């Protein structure tokens, strides 16, 4: 199973995400993510044997306890890229509010999952929602201009759980399904 831990955007933010992606439509080289599956990844776990699910689910519950985060609101806004404006591989939507809680959740999940033998992150955590991946640099100038000029706010969402999500790769793109939900209590 190809797994990650996420906070999913609610259905009512799919259209605002799609509208934001449409602003990049004339930037060649971008492969857009499905706005219906928009999410914020707290931890990518990768290929995971099914027999690791029960201890992983316990570790995620413990991580939520460790983070000591009550349900909170995230405001999604701002644009950015990874790794830099000079070399763009990912275009993303940022977080204007709720970043502290997301970071605490990420750090607790990182601690618990690396203790189980999952690979540690090799970069600093930046809460974001991937909008597109750049496949070639044809539209790089347009992306750079939009990221520099636009400060969109697309909406807010109440976060009351994290999800262990399975990603199944298909010819039409990844399909996500929830394996387990862990409430923030």
């Amino acid at each position: 199973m190809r797994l990650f831990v996420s906070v999913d955007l609610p259905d009512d933010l799919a259209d605002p995400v799609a509208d934001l992606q449409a602003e990049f439509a004339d930037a060649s080289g971008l492969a857009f993510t499905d706005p219906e599956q928009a999410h914020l990844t707290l931890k990518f776990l990768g290929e995971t044997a099914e027999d690791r699910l029960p201890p992983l689910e316990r570790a995620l519950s413990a991580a939520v306890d460790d983070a000591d985060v009550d349900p909170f609101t995230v405001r999604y806004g701002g644009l950015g890229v990874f790794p830099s404006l000079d070399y763009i591989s990912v275009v993303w939507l940022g977080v204007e509010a709720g970043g502290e809680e997301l970071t605490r959740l990420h750090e607790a999940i990182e601690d618990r999952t690396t203790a189980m033998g999952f690979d540690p992150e090799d970069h600093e955590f930046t809460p974001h929602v991937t909008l597109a991946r750049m496949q070639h640099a044809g539209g790089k100038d347009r992306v750079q201009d939009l990221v520099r000029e636009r400060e969109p706010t697309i909406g807010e969402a109440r976060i009351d759980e994290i999800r262990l999500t399975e990603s199944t790769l298909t010819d039409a793109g990844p399909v996500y399904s929830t394996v387990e939900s862990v409430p923030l209590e």
Side-chain angles (χ1 to χ4, degrees), residues 80-125:
V81 297
F82 291 134
S84 71
L85 278 171
D86 292 326
Y87 179 80
I88 300 167
S89 63
V90 171
V91 179
W92 49 260
L93 168 67
V95 169
E96 295 175 338
E100 180 183 323
E101 292 89 344
L102 291 166
T103 299
R104 283 180 25 215
L105 285 165
H106 161 77
E107 289 171 350
I109 292 164
E110 179 77 1
D111 288 347
R112 291 285 181 164
T113 57
T114 54
M116 291 180 65
F118 287 95
D119 291 338
E121 293 290 340
D122 59 0
H123 55 272
E124 186 175 331
F125 178 69

